Amino acid sequence: MPRTLNAPDMVTPGSLGQPPTEPTHGEQAEQPLLDGAPSSASLDTLIQHLVPTADYYPEKAYIFTFLLSSRLFIEPRELLARVCHLCIEQQQLDKPVLDKARVRKFAPKLLQLLAEWTETFPRDFQEEAAIGHMKDVVGRIAPCDEASRKRLHQLLQALHQKLAALHQNPEGLVGADKPISYRTKPPASIHRELLGLCSDPYVLAQQLTHVELERLRHIGPEEFVQAFVNKDPLASTQPCFSDKTNHLEAYVKWFNRLCYLVATEICMPAKKKQRAQVIEFFIDVARECFNIGNFNSLMAIISGMNMSPVSRLKKTWAKVKTAKFFILEHQMDPTGNFCNYRTALRGAAHRSLTAHSSREKIVIPFFSLLIKDIYFLNEGCANRLPNGHVNFEKFLELAKQVGEFITWKQVECPFEQDPSITHYLHTAPIFSEDGLYLASYESESPENQTEKERWKSLRSSILGKT
C-alpha cells in the first residue's frame, strides 16, 4: 500500500573584474570583488561594478547575480536610472564636446549591458520610464557612434517581442477560469476519462512535459526573489514588486491541480478493476516522466496516488502490481532531505550538459522543493551584514540555483503536442477534497468509526442525506 501524504551554466562564482573607480571618500573599505566570489560590499559599490566604461565590462556572472538580487534593495527602474546617470557622469556625456574616441569604445559595452539586462529581465522594462532612460543615454552617444542608435532600435524590437510573448499566456495559465470542481460523481454519460483520450503512458508523459515546459518558460528569474521580498531596513521604499509572482504561483497551482486530477481519475470508476487499471496506468506515466527528466509531474502523480482518499482503497490496491510504484516512491522519498531525488536530479542535469539530442536536455525539477531550497537559503542568511554591506556571497549562491533553473526552462520541448490531451489536462473537472473522500467511500465502504462519521457528514453536507 502507498503511504499517505498530506494533500546552472549561467552563473559560476569566479573572479570579478576590478571596478573602474575607487570608493568614495569616507566610505568603509569593502571586501575585494575579485579573485573569487565576493563576500560583501556596499550597495553603491555594487552598482558601480555594474557600470561599464571604455576599458571595463562586468563579468556575465556578476551582471546576472546583481540584477537578480538588487531588487531586494532598490527597484529595477531606480537602478536603471542610477546606472544611466553614472554612465552620463563618468563618460561626461552631458558636456557640449565629447571625447569621440572614448565614447566609441564605451558605446558597445553600454549596449551589451542593456542587451543582457533586457534579455534576462524583460519585465524590468515594462514601464515607459525605463525605455526613456535607455533612449536618453544612447541618444547622447549617438553623435559619436551612429551604430548605437540602430543597435538600440534592434534591442527595443527584441524587448517588445519578448514582453508580448510573456503576456500571451498559454491555456490554463494566469487568469484562466478555474476548472469545474466535482463534489459528487457525475453521470457516466457526461464524464470523459483520461484513459479514453490517451491510453499510452509515454504519450501522456510527453504531453505533461509540454505543459511543464510551457509554464516554466513564463517564470522570470526575478520571481524567485520577489516571492521572498521583505522591506530592506536601510531602504526608504516599499517592498519591490512583491506581488509580481503570478507565473510562479500559477506553476505551483498546476502541480496541485495535477495531484487532484490523478486522484479524481482513480476515484471516478465504479469498479475496482477499472480503478486498478487507472492506478497502473499512472504508475507507468510516472515512470516515463522519470525517464524523460520530468520530476515535477512525477512527484505530482505520486502525491495524487498517495492522497488519503486514494491510498485507503485497499481492495483496489490489492489488484495493482505495485513493485514499480514502490521504486518510484523510493526515488522521491523525502527522507534525508530528498536525498534519492537530488541524486537523480544531478544525474539528469549531467545528462543535459552532455546531451546529444534535445530529449536528453530535459530537466524539470520538483518545483516545490526548489522553492523550499531557495526559501531556506534566503531565511538562513542575512541580506545585509552588521556593517550595512550587502551579503553578496549569499546572492552568488542564490544566482547559482536560479541560473541553473533558467538554463533548464529554456529547453525546447522535442515532443509533438497533442492539443486534445493538453486541453484535457488543463480543463478536465476535478473533485474537491470532500468530493474525493465521498467518491472513495462510495467505491469502498468506510472501515472504521472515523471514516463512518466523515462519510455521514459528507453525505449530509453534499448530498443532503442522513
Side-chain angles (χ1 to χ4, degrees):
M1 289 295 296
R3 67 177 179 280
T4 300
L5 300 180
N6 294 323
D9 169 37
M10 176 177 280
V11 177
T12 304
S15 62
L16 301 175
Q18 177 67 36
T21 62
E22 297 296 324
T24 58
H25 178 69
E27 182 178 13
Q28 186 175 354
E30 287 89 359
Q31 294 291 327
L33 293 178
L34 65 162
D35 296 328
S39 174
S40 66
S42 70
L43 182 60
D44 287 342
T45 296
L46 292 173
I47 293 174
Q48 182 63 68
H49 271 273
L50 185 66
V51 178
T53 69
D55 303 309
Y56 165 80
Y57 189 77
E59 294 275 351
K60 187 179 183 71
Y62 179 80
I63 294 172
F64 178 73
T65 302
F66 184 63
L67 290 180
L68 176 69
S69 58
S70 62
R71 60 201 70 236
L72 288 167
F73 311 99
I74 181 173
E75 292 190 12
R77 64 173 179 269
E78 184 182 345
L79 175 62
L80 178 63
R82 288 184 63 176
V83 168
C84 291
H85 174 75
L86 285 169
C87 288
I88 293 170
E89 184 180 71
Q90 293 173 8
Q91 303 306 315
Q92 298 182 341
L93 299 178
D94 52 350
K95 302 296 183 183
V97 180
L98 303 179
D99 184 338
K100 292 185 177 181
R102 181 179 178 183
V103 171
R104 287 187 185 124
K105 286 183 65 179
F106 166 72
K109 294 182 174 65
L110 172 63
L111 268 297
Q112 178 62 25
L113 176 64
L114 295 176
E116 290 192 41
W117 194 339
T118 55
E119 172 66 24
T120 311
F121 300 94
R123 293 182 181 89
D124 289 353
F125 298 85
Q126 295 184 101
E127 298 180 10
E128 280 300 319
I131 305 298
H133 288 310
M134 290 196 292
K135 288 182 176 179
D136 175 52
V137 69
V138 173
R140 293 172 185 267
I141 64 178
C144 301
D145 186 67
E146 275 299 324
S148 299
R149 203 185 302 275
K150 181 179 179 181
R151 287 197 292 271
L152 177 63
H153 178 70
Q154 294 170 339
L155 183 154
L156 291 176
Q157 278 189 322
L159 173 62
H160 290 319
Q161 291 173 359
K162 200 169 185 68
L163 288 173
L166 290 174
H167 291 146
Q168 291 175 352
N169 293 321
E171 180 181 34
L173 210 56
V174 179
D177 291 335
K178 292 183 179 179
I180 300 169
S181 180
Y182 287 143
R183 299 187 75 192
T184 60
K185 286 187 179 183
S189 59
I190 68 169
H191 175 66
R192 296 175 63 204
E193 294 182 346
L194 182 56
L195 262 69
L197 188 65
C198 176
S199 59
D200 186 336
Y202 185 51
V203 171
L204 183 57
Q206 291 179 338
Q207 299 309 304
L208 285 169
T209 302
H210 253 293
V211 174
E212 298 280 356
L213 288 173
E214 183 62 35
R215 286 171 170 271
L216 288 179
R217 193 167 293 117
H218 283 74
I219 299 174
E222 69 278 3
E223 292 195 46
F224 290 96
V225 173
Q226 290 162 352
F228 307 120
V229 165
N230 295 312
K231 184 171 174 59
D232 179 29
L234 298 185
S236 60
T237 58
Q238 293 299 313
C240 309
F241 302 103
S242 59
D243 60 332
K244 294 193 175 180
T245 57
N246 291 343
H247 296 95
L248 188 151
E249 293 169 4
Y251 191 56
V252 172
K253 290 179 181 178
W254 152 250
F255 177 91
N256 293 333
R257 169 174 168 76
L258 183 54
C259 293
Y260 273 84
L261 180 62
V262 169
T264 296
E265 295 288 331
I266 293 172
C267 290
M268 190 67 73
K271 297 181 179 180
K272 59 178 176 287
K273 181 180 179 180
Q274 293 174 315
R275 293 193 297 273
Q277 289 175 343
V278 176
I279 291 175
E280 291 186 339
F281 173 74
F282 276 117
I283 291 173
D284 289 337
V285 174
R287 184 178 61 175
E288 296 297 346
C289 286
F290 180 85
N291 293 335
I292 289 172
N294 181 357
F295 297 104
N296 200 58
S297 289
L298 164 63
M299 191 61 180
I301 293 170
I302 291 176
S303 298
M305 289 192 287
N306 274 319
M307 291 179 72
S308 296
V310 177
S311 63
R312 65 166 298 278
L313 299 173
K314 296 179 181 179
K315 295 177 182 177
T316 301
W317 281 96
K319 291 185 170 292
V320 175
K321 298 175 183 177
T322 55
K324 291 182 290 186
F325 179 68
F326 291 145
I327 292 173
L328 292 171
E329 271 199 319
H330 177 71
Q331 290 292 339
M332 304 304 287
D333 191 336
T335 302
N337 194 19
F338 289 88
C339 177
N340 295 335
Y341 158 71
R342 293 182 190 276
T343 300
L345 180 66
R346 286 195 297 270
H350 178 73
R351 180 186 68 180
S352 179
L353 289 174
T354 59
H356 298 292
S357 70
S358 56
R359 297 189 178 197
E360 294 177 329
K361 292 182 180 179
I362 298 172
V363 183
I364 303 174
F366 173 29
F367 196 68
S368 294
L369 187 59
L370 175 63
I371 294 294
K372 179 182 175 183
D373 288 344
I374 293 174
Y375 172 80
F376 280 112
L377 171 62
N378 182 65
E379 291 296 307
C381 303
N383 291 339
R384 288 188 186 267
L385 301 181
N387 62 2
H389 286 183
V390 173
N391 185 2
F392 202 70
E393 189 172 17
K394 164 185 175 176
F395 296 119
L396 278 169
E397 180 58 34
L398 173 66
K400 183 179 179 181
Q401 292 191 27
V402 175
E404 190 173 44
F405 168 80
I406 297 305
T407 301
W408 295 337
K409 86 183 187 78
Q410 291 172 342
V411 172
E412 291 292 329
C413 187
F415 309 121
E416 184 178 352
Q417 185 177 13
D418 186 326
S420 63
I421 298 176
T422 55
H423 179 73
Y424 184 92
L425 292 171
H426 285 303
T427 63
I430 55 176
F431 278 130
S432 63
E433 185 173 8
D434 286 346
L436 276 176
Y437 273 108
L438 188 59
S440 178
Y441 294 144
E442 289 176 349
S443 298
E444 295 186 19
S445 300
E447 292 188 339
N448 54 52
Q449 190 61 34
T450 301
E451 288 189 344
K452 289 177 181 178
E453 290 177 357
R454 175 179 290 208
W455 188 32
K456 182 179 180 181
S457 175
L458 289 173
R459 284 166 59 86
S460 176
S461 62
I462 296 177
L463 302 177
K465 297 179 180 180
T466 56

